[in-house]
């Protein structure tokens, strides 16, 4: 049993998405990912969790939110479901708290959507939440790796 998780595809006016680089010990690699986290706060909705994760990991808030896609991460091994949200109309708020744990060493970068899609399709970006979210958004916007 798994509590579930959320992920956020944050898109700015220049058609760039916000990615974070984070060390993942099980694969012993730094991975480019999208902001994400567990549904582990009692009473918190999936949308509230997505807003919290975006702020905690990037310092950004968004005024425009929509559900983008949902998927099972490992249906043969657990019941985790990740809900991916699209966040737009972004503003850098920063943090009014001290970062701790894994958030301290995160690298944050804006990447053109077409470049991120190309990275997914070439197996360079291997985070499943990023892959699902980037492909879903690219499909929604009609972006291809040939653009």
């Amino acid at each position: 049993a798994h509590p579930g998780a959320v992920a956020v595809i944050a898109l700015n006016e220049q058609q760039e998405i916000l990615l974070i680089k984070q060390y993942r010990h099980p694969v012993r690699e730094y991975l480019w990912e999208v902001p994400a986290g567990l549904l582990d706060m009692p009473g918190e909705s999936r949308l509230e969790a997505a807003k919290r994760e975006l702020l905690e990991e990037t310092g950004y808030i968004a005024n425009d939110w929509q559900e983008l896609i949902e998927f099972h991460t490992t249906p043969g091994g657990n019941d985790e479901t990740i809900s991916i949200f699209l966040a737009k109309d972004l503003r850098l708020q920063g943090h009014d708290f001290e970062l701790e744990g894994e958030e301290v060493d995160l690298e944050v970068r804006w990447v053109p959507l077409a470049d991120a899609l190309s990275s997914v399709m070439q197996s360079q970006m291997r985070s499943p939440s990023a892959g699902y979210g980037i492909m879903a958004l690219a499909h929604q916007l009609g972006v291809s790796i040939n653009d």
Side-chain angles (χ1 to χ4, degrees):
H2 192 281
V6 294
V8 180
I9 301 289
L11 180 71
N12 68 16
E13 294 81 18
Q14 292 78 38
Q15 298 292 295
E16 298 170 320
I17 61 170
L18 193 56
L19 296 176
I20 58 174
K21 189 175 186 180
Q22 184 168 213
Y23 183 73
R24 294 300 189 179
H25 185 70
V27 294
R28 291 171 176 70
E29 291 180 42
Y30 283 90
L31 298 179
W32 283 102
E33 304 177 340
V34 295
L38 296 175
L39 293 170
D40 57 358
M41 303 288 281
E44 185 177 55
S45 71
R46 292 177 302 130
L47 178 57
E48 290 168 333
K51 290 178 178 182
R52 174 177 51 81
E53 290 295 337
L54 179 63
L55 179 60
E56 283 178 5
E57 295 187 352
T58 71
Y60 278 86
I61 60 172
N63 291 322
D64 185 1
W65 289 88
Q66 72 180 61
E67 290 187 48
L68 187 60
I69 197 167
E70 187 174 272
F71 70 100
H72 297 301
T73 60
T74 316
N78 65 50
D79 66 353
E80 178 181 20
T81 298
I82 296 183
S83 300
I84 303 177
F85 289 85
L86 175 61
K88 297 189 296 189
D89 191 12
L90 299 150
R91 180 173 57 87
L92 181 60
Q93 177 174 301
H95 299 101
D96 58 358
F97 53 87
E98 188 166 331
L99 296 176
E100 49 187 46
E102 61 188 18
E103 279 90 23
V104 173
D105 294 325
L106 295 180
E107 180 182 340
V108 178
R109 180 179 299 165
W110 288 101
V111 175
L113 176 58
D115 292 350
L117 177 60
S118 178
S119 180
V120 170
M121 299 308 295
Q122 294 174 23
S123 299
Q124 295 167 342
M125 189 179 317
R126 295 168 27 171
S127 164
S129 298
Y132 257 90
I134 289 165
M135 288 190 290
L137 180 61
H139 177 73
Q140 185 181 85
L141 298 178
V143 173
S144 71
I145 59 173
N146 298 325
D147 287 350

